[in-house]
Amino acid sequence: RKEVEQDPGPFNVPEGATVAFNCTYSNSASQSFFWYRQDCRKEPKLLMSVYSSGNEDGRFTAQLNRASQYISLLIRDSKLSDSATYLCVVSPVNNNNDMRFGAGTRLTVKP
Amino acid sequence: DAGVIQSPRHEVTEMGQEVTLRCKPISGHDYLFWYRQTMMRGLELLIYFNNNVPIDDSGMPEDRFSAKMPNASFSTLKIQPSEPRDSAVYFCASSHRGLTEAFFGQGTRLTVV
């Protein structure tokens, strides 16, 4: 079983739609969780950290469920510019020194 | 700061040749990571360093791969001999302990023919 698993998609949604991605992780001792965004042929960049209580950054909401070992990312009112691959990242310790990436979920937002 | 700098951006080489990828981390960062990304396997951690010391190289696929960090501002990933299945995008990233973000270089796209 992979350490971090994501639905690869692709998710094709119209502008303005709400879309959600899930990610499951196998190491119950994992402490730190992140979502990264990767545009086509570019490097990954941090989108947001995921906190135990859940957190929101504008149109983006991240949730953590430790009992079920999954994290989620919700994008509201999606924009064309949200089209990218979203990578789930898990670290087994309380920092980012050993980050494990999911394979990513591809999102395409269409006019 | 210019960010993490990788070179070359693209490399095409013949099977059996030695390939050296280079990385300059962000100044002041004490962690450096090498990742490999393919369509089939996604982004895989190969090795990471802390204060120039290799901490975990369990992701290095085989003995043909080696990585060094002779000083805080430079690291290399070497493949010798290279094989077609090594074709991938290789990313270097750096971070500072206590921060939550790892910063990636633009990657080296390696093609072994």
Side-chain angles (χ1 to χ4, degrees), chain B residues 7-112:
Chain B
S7 65
R9 291 291 306 281
H10 302 274
E11 177 81 31
V12 180
T13 190
E14 292 185 345
M15 182 173 62
Q17 296 297 306
E18 178 180 296
V19 175
T20 299
L21 312 181
R22 297 173 176 79
C23 175
K24 181 180 187 305
I26 292 173
S27 177
H29 282 190
D30 49 357
Y31 283 84
L32 183 140
F33 309 85
W34 281 102
Y35 287 90
R36 177 173 69 175
Q37 187 173 40
T38 61
M39 289 292 292
M40 292 296 294
R41 302 173 68 88
L43 201 62
E44 302 173 282
L45 177 64
L46 300 177
I47 184 172
Y48 76 92
F49 296 83
N50 175 217
N51 291 324
N52 314 339
V53 176
I55 302 301
D56 184 354
D57 66 353
S58 59
M60 296 287 261
E62 48 196 275
D63 292 345
R64 297 184 298 106
F65 286 69
S66 62
K68 294 182 180 180
M69 192 166 185
N71 57 62
S73 59
F74 183 65
S75 177
T76 59
L77 178 68
K78 185 177 292 186
I79 308 173
Q80 166 65 18
S82 57
E83 298 181 2
R85 59 192 169 119
D86 301 330
S87 297
V89 180
Y90 290 81
F91 286 104
C92 175
S94 71
S95 71
H96 182 65
R97 185 179 179 86
L99 298 181
T100 59
E101 184 171 4
F103 294 83
F104 283 75
Q106 292 182 299
T108 295
R109 185 171 296 273
L110 173 66
T111 303
V112 183

Side-chain angles (χ1 to χ4, degrees), chain A residues 30-91:
Chain A
S30 298
Q31 296 290 331
S32 300
F33 309 90
F34 312 91
W35 284 101
Y36 274 66
R37 170 191 168 133
Q38 186 174 23
D39 294 304
C40 186
R41 303 182 80 85
K42 299 287 189 181
E43 71 275 23
K45 293 183 179 179
L46 179 67
L47 176 66
M48 61 195 300
S49 301
V50 185
Y51 302 122
S52 296
S53 56
N55 49 297
E56 190 174 303
D57 183 2
R59 297 181 294 108
F60 298 82
T61 300
Q63 296 275 349
L64 168 63
N65 185 319
R66 286 189 183 274
S68 300
Q69 294 181 209
Y70 79 83
I71 67 174
S72 64
L73 177 68
L74 181 78
I75 305 175
R76 292 182 299 278
D77 188 23
S78 52
K79 312 290 185 190
L80 296 178
S81 57
D82 294 334
S83 298
T85 296
Y86 291 84
L87 303 165
C88 171
V89 186
V90 175
S91 179

